[in-house]
């Protein structure tokens, strides 16, 4: 049988199959993005009948980047089955991002990839199996087992999107290749990056030390419509926040999605929040401000 259980002994079952190359590539893109935009080596995956939620949130340090990513299961898998005694039929486990990425990459040339939770010699694994098509057209089976730490049900409700402060401004980023160019130069000057934006389509990035100052101005960017019922935006002038330039750079270098829709929100004195809005994934990347 395909099942695994945490230390409290409650059995959990999960089995899924992707039979299109596009699905395998999508899953690889998500895990690769997580591995590149975070320094944290472990990630939690909350599975429900509808979706997969990946969470990288350090337990203690408030000054660390927090990441939450959601994907609909039917966009990634052709068949998907989950069984758990949890009231909403959910499962939560933790895994090494690097090990899962390596396992998924090994299935790149396969016609279909299967995933299941299993227990072997007292250890829980996410088992990934596929048939790799070799140069002579024959299929060769491979199996990779990624160790996972399963959590009891009471932990599931605690794995939530990070609490986000109310922003005063939302703006879509300019072309990330141009941004990366500026940020690479700024990284050489200082660890601190001040990000400022307005609801009139302006974005300003600046890095300053005693000797050198670099500023980049962007105009005529798009501000999305403001959601009713949220905090009132700051209608005049710039809202700014100072963050770790390396965290901003890691995001720009790391995300693997061909999208121009990256939204930046600034909550003054609290955080700079980046949102990837894509068919495959909705990802939140929350960078706390640096306090003097």
């Amino acid at each position: 049988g395909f099942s695994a259980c945490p230390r409290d002994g409650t059995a959990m079952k999960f089995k899924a199959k992707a039979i299109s190359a596009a699905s395998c590539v999508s899953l690889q893109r998500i895990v690769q993005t997580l591995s590149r935009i975070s320094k944290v080596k472990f990630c939690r995956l909350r599975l429900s009948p509808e979706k997969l939620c990946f969470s990288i949130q350090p337990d203690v340090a408030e000054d660390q980047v927090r990441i939450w990513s959601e994907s609909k299961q039917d966009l990634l898998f052709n068949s998907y089955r989950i069984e758990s005694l949890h009231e909403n039929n959910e499962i939560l486990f933790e895994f090494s991002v690097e090990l899962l990425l390596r396992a998924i990459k090994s299935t790149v040339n396969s016609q279909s990839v299967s995933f299941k939770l299993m227990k072997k010699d007292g250890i829980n694994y996410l088992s990934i199996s596929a048939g790799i098509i070799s140069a002579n057209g024959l299929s060769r089976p491979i199996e990779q087992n990624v160790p996972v730490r399963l959590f009891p049900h009471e932990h599931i409700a605690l794995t939530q999107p990070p609490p986000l402060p109310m922003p005063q401004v939302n703006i879509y980023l300019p072309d990330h290749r141009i941004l990366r160019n500026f940020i690479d130069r700024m990284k050489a000057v200082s660890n601190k990056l001040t990000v400022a934006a307005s609801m009139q389509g302006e974005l300003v990035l600046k890095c300053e030390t005693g000797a050198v100052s670099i500023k980049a101005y962007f105009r005529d960017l798009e501000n999305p419509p403001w959601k009713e019922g949220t905090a009132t935006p700051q209608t005049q002038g710039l809202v700014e926040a100072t963050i770790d330039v390396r965290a901003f750079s890691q995001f720009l270098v790391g995300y693997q999605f061909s999208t121009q829709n990256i939204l930046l929100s600034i909550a003054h004195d609290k955080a700079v929040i980046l949102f990837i809005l894509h068919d495959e994934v909705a990802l939140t990347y929350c960078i706390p401000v640096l306090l003097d």
Side-chain angles (χ1 to χ4, degrees):
F2 63 98
S3 67
C5 51
R7 288 204 178 116
D8 67 358
T10 48
M12 302 177 185
K13 297 183 178 185
F14 167 67
K15 198 172 191 178
K17 192 171 191 177
I19 55 173
S20 74
S23 296
C24 300
V25 169
S26 296
L27 200 55
Q28 183 178 321
R29 252 201 298 262
I30 293 166
V31 179
Q32 193 152 13
T33 295
L34 293 171
S35 82
R36 289 191 177 188
I37 65 177
S38 173
K39 293 191 179 89
V40 179
K41 303 228 177 332
F42 288 89
C43 177
R44 289 185 184 181
L45 176 56
R46 181 174 172 175
L47 296 169
S48 76
E50 296 79 36
K51 58 189 179 183
L52 294 81
C53 301
F54 294 90
S55 172
I56 299 179
Q57 300 186 56
D59 289 333
V60 279
E62 285 298 316
D63 61 346
Q64 297 245 5
V65 168
R66 293 173 183 274
I67 300 165
W68 180 267
S69 164
E70 283 189 17
S71 297
K72 289 182 180 166
Q73 60 88 354
D74 56 7
L75 290 176
L76 297 176
F77 301 110
N78 304 85
S79 65
Y80 181 92
R81 188 172 146 206
I82 180 170
E83 285 177 37
S84 134
L85 295 176
H86 180 264
E87 57 185 350
N88 299 324
N89 196 15
E90 295 188 26
I91 294 174
L92 176 68
F93 59 82
E94 190 174 66
F95 60 89
S96 154
V97 182
E98 190 186 336
L99 290 182
L100 182 60
L101 180 59
R102 202 183 299 161
I104 291 173
K105 276 184 169 176
S106 73
T107 66
V108 157
N109 295 322
S110 56
Q111 299 289 343
S112 72
V113 185
S114 296
F115 299 80
K116 68 178 178 187
L117 277 176
M118 59 176 274
K119 193 163 191 167
K120 193 174 170 184
D121 302 328
I123 298 169
N124 292 312
Y125 294 97
L126 179 64
S127 178
I128 300 167
S129 55
I132 303 292
I133 305 299
S134 59
N136 58 12
L138 297 173
S139 180
R140 178 174 57 86
I142 62 156
E143 186 178 291
Q144 303 269 12
N145 293 328
V146 178
V148 298
R149 177 186 167 205
L150 276 167
F151 289 93
H153 293 153
E154 55 269 25
H155 286 254
I156 292 176
L158 303 174
T159 303
Q160 297 283 357
L164 299 177
M166 281 292 183
Q168 291 83 41
V169 63
N170 289 332
I171 193 165
Y172 284 111
L173 288 183
D175 187 304
H176 76 278
R177 285 162 299 195
I178 298 168
L179 264 187
R180 271 167 65 172
N181 210 349
F182 282 112
I183 295 296
D184 283 347
R185 282 187 238 167
M186 291 175 171
K187 248 187 351 188
V189 171
S190 168
N191 284 341
K192 290 184 178 180
L193 170 71
T194 299
V195 182
S198 76
M199 290 303 288
Q200 286 76 48
E202 305 162 284
L203 175 69
V204 183
L205 304 172
K206 55 188 176 187
C207 253
E208 292 172 300
T209 62
V212 184
S213 169
I214 301 178
K215 282 188 185 179
Y217 292 89
F218 299 90
R219 291 190 181 85
D220 302 322
L221 299 177
E222 194 185 333
N223 298 96
W226 200 265
K227 266 190 194 161
E228 291 296 322
T230 55
T232 318
Q234 181 167 314
T235 48
Q236 296 299 319
L238 293 161
V239 179
E240 68 171 44
T242 299
I243 56 171
D244 187 329
V245 70
R246 292 162 300 185
F248 196 77
S249 169
Q250 194 162 12
F251 175 85
L252 291 176
V253 170
Y255 81 90
Q256 301 290 300
F257 302 93
S258 56
T259 178
Q260 291 305 315
N261 283 358
I262 294 179
L263 184 66
L264 178 137
S265 297
I266 302 176
H268 178 65
D269 288 341
K270 296 271 192 314
V272 169
I273 308 150
L274 294 152
F275 298 96
I276 292 178
L277 310 164
H278 190 267
D279 298 340
E280 296 166 10
V281 72
L283 187 143
T284 305
Y285 186 87
C286 184
I287 310 172
V289 297
L290 293 174
L291 301 170
D292 292 328

